[in-house]
Amino acid sequence: MSLNIPLSVPNLTLDILENIKECIETGWVSTGGRFITEFENKIAEYVGVEEAVGVQSGTAGLHMSYRVLGVEAGDEVIVPTVTFIATVNPVTYLGAHPIFIDCDDTLNMDLDKLEEFLETQCEFTERGLKNKKSNRLIKVLCVVHIFGNPIDMERVMGIAEKYNLKVVEDAAESLGSYYVDGKYKGRYTGTIGHVGVYSFNANKILTTGGGGMIVSNDISLLEKARFLSVQAKTDPLYYKHDEIGYNYRLTNVAAAFGTSQIDQIERFINSKIKNYNLYKEEIANIEGLDLLPFNNRTRPNYWFYSVIVDKEKYGIDRDELLSGLNEVGIQARPLWGLMSDQKPFKDEIAYKVEKARYYVDNIINIPCSTSLTEEQLFKVIEKLKEFKE
Ligand SMILES: *Cc1c(COP(=O)(O)O)cnc(C)c1O
């Protein structure tokens, strides 16, 4: 019998129906309507910024971010090799190229290697920071808070300032994570770089079906993004356009989900914390398995749980455990394939990718839905114990 325990599924409540009913009755189902502004305001308030711009996906949000920060065809954008491909694809939509940096033991971008790359491989020219090898300009650095684990933004911003880079925070997975210590104490991930992006895809901490949000402390960047997301219309009556825009605006129907979901985010995070701690206690007793910690100077949103499988001690390797779990109906998955190994990016520059190789081969992500019951969680533990040889 299949246990049927999913990896990460949405946690939706029926109060959304009230909102959807209003969308239907008023006819506001597309890219205008009150839920869009309400949801934008609630997100802005929650993460402590003045304004936010709703878009149709995190990918669209990242595309707009790179664009408003001035990435042009032939430029390069620094990104991590460990991330979901949506961080990287929009770089290429603009005709620019990614440069891939290795991860460290937190799975986030290795900031030592980032600094080393900038120091040894780049130089300042009249046109800006240049990659000596490719002769291309680098204007933007994108960091990702992998699995909700906040990267050290204090250090990121220091490096960015030194090299005159604009910072995009891909906070698609980390809505609700914040710093409890240091310069950015109390600040949420996504709100520290020049632009930050959240995603509301179905497997994220909260969902609108599909959707995303752009935040920034520079209101002019947000205005530009909002303008571009509605086809860059300069004159709403006569339909004049002076620039090429996109159809990227969040819909009222999606926002109708969001405005209910955001009210529950702390409940969702508390559930993630509780389950993480239960897993931690139990996995500590299974030799050969290690639950990856989150950065301790932060309050993460604990979005995804990563377990490292030590084949020597556990008896079977990661892939055997992965198929074993999936066979009994426990959905588990490996880390994403490295970006620097993906076919479309094979010829792009990858700087000293080493650690990422180890993690890509040895990590599994285990069920982490906010609706995961204790009974289901202990089933997962039972199987993790059973499979050990
Ligand atoms: C989910 C995700 C995105 C993209 O979000 P969509 O809303 O699915 O387009 C971008 N980056 C990372 C790291 C993600 O996990």
Side-chain angles (χ1 to χ4, degrees):
M1 203 191 70
S2 170
L3 287 168
N4 205 5
I5 304 175
L7 179 68
S8 175
V9 286
N11 192 334
L12 298 165
T13 44
L14 283 171
D15 62 312
I16 296 171
L17 276 179
E18 271 306 303
N19 296 350
I20 300 298
K21 188 161 169 263
E22 186 182 319
C23 292
I24 293 169
E25 281 172 355
T26 59
W28 288 102
V29 292
S30 195
T31 53
R34 79 169 182 97
F35 291 122
I36 300 173
T37 354
E38 187 178 305
F39 185 39
E40 284 176 342
N41 291 341
K42 279 184 175 180
I43 290 280
E45 192 186 351
Y46 175 70
V47 300
V49 293
E50 262 177 56
E51 215 175 300
V53 175
V55 285
Q56 277 173 14
S57 66
T59 311
L62 287 161
H63 187 184
M64 289 299 82
S65 304
Y66 297 141
R67 167 95 188 253
V68 300
L69 288 175
V71 173
E72 293 177 86
D75 288 349
E76 284 175 341
V77 175
I78 301 175
V79 294
T81 190
V82 172
T83 185
F84 178 53
I85 199 162
T87 312
V88 189
N89 281 339
V91 170
T92 69
Y93 301 167
L94 293 164
H97 299 263
I99 297 174
F100 299 107
I101 307 285
D102 200 13
C103 71
D104 63 15
D105 293 315
T106 69
L107 300 184
N108 284 330
M109 184 185 282
D110 185 327
L111 298 179
D112 290 333
K113 282 187 180 162
L114 170 68
E115 268 200 298
E116 195 185 284
F117 170 81
L118 291 165
E119 192 55 48
T120 62
Q121 310 291 308
C122 302
E123 66 184 10
F124 280 107
T125 68
E126 265 170 32
R127 298 182 312 145
L129 188 72
K130 193 187 80 176
N131 181 344
K132 287 190 277 191
K133 201 161 149 195
S134 65
N135 262 322
R136 295 184 186 127
L137 293 181
I138 308 174
K139 299 168 190 156
V140 170
L141 157 69
C142 179
V143 292
V144 185
H145 306 282
I146 297 291
F147 298 148
N149 191 21
I151 196 170
D152 180 354
M153 280 306 287
E154 207 168 316
R155 205 166 154 211
V156 168
M157 296 313 283
I159 296 169
E161 197 172 337
K162 182 170 169 199
Y163 290 94
N164 200 20
L165 295 169
K166 299 282 190 232
V167 176
V168 172
E169 277 182 272
D170 180 342
E173 305 177 352
S174 69
L175 179 64
S177 300
Y178 60 84
Y179 298 84
V180 296
D181 198 5
K183 183 175 175 190
Y184 296 120
K185 185 175 171 184
R187 295 272 292 273
Y188 282 75
T189 57
T191 69
I192 296 164
H194 298 88
V195 182
V197 177
Y198 304 110
S199 162
F200 313 119
N201 190 32
N203 69 345
K204 298 302 200 292
I205 188 100
L206 61 84
T207 188
T208 61
M213 196 78 81
I214 309 172
V215 294
S216 175
N217 295 303
D218 182 340
I219 301 298
S220 69
L221 291 178
L222 292 179
E223 276 167 4
K224 177 89 192 186
R226 184 178 280 123
F227 170 71
L228 290 171
S229 77
V230 286
Q231 306 284 22
K233 202 189 285 171
T234 357
D235 186 312
L237 183 59
Y238 293 97
Y239 283 74
K240 292 209 171 113
H241 309 263
D242 297 331
E243 267 181 276
I244 292 176
Y246 307 84
N247 182 11
Y248 274 175
R249 190 81 172 119
L250 187 71
T251 69
N252 203 42
V253 176
F257 276 66
T259 188
S260 155
Q261 286 267 290
I262 183 67
D263 290 343
Q264 304 174 70
I265 189 163
E266 286 302 312
R267 181 169 77 82
F268 292 163
I269 294 174
N270 283 334
S271 154
K272 294 262 189 198
I273 294 175
K274 181 173 151 265
N275 289 336
Y276 178 84
N277 287 331
L278 280 174
Y279 271 132
K280 191 166 129 189
E281 241 171 68
E282 295 296 324
I283 289 173
N285 300 320
I286 309 175
E287 213 204 343
L289 295 186
D290 258 315
L291 185 63
L292 220 66
F294 285 83
N295 292 343
N296 55 19
R297 295 173 74 204
T298 68
R299 195 295 297 259
N301 70 357
Y302 292 88
W303 179 60
F304 254 47
Y305 312 144
S306 310
V307 174
I308 301 177
V309 185
D310 179 339
K311 188 192 167 198
E312 300 308 310
K313 293 185 183 145
Y314 188 64
I316 61 171
D317 70 14
R318 194 276 311 270
D319 291 315
E320 290 171 281
L321 175 59
L322 200 58
S323 56
L325 288 171
N326 283 306
E327 261 161 44
V328 296
I330 294 171
Q331 198 189 357
R333 58 155 231 212
L335 198 61
W336 311 279
L338 298 183
M339 289 307 112
S340 43
D341 291 343
Q342 306 290 341
K343 198 170 165 194
F345 308 138
K346 266 203 154 31
D347 297 332
E348 306 292 356
I349 295 172
Y351 187 71
K352 295 194 178 171
V353 172
E354 293 146 6
K355 264 197 176 146
R357 302 219 171 274
Y358 166 76
Y359 286 110
V360 88
D361 287 339
N362 292 290
I363 279 184
I364 64 166
N365 292 124
I366 53 175
C368 61
S369 304
T370 53
S371 52
L372 185 75
T373 65
E374 219 170 285
E375 197 190 332
Q376 289 176 317
L377 188 146
F378 280 100
K379 279 283 176 208
V380 177
I381 295 295
E382 192 187 302
K383 292 295 169 191
L384 289 177
K385 286 181 177 159
E386 214 176 287
F387 288 132
K388 180 175 158 58
E389 276 176 2

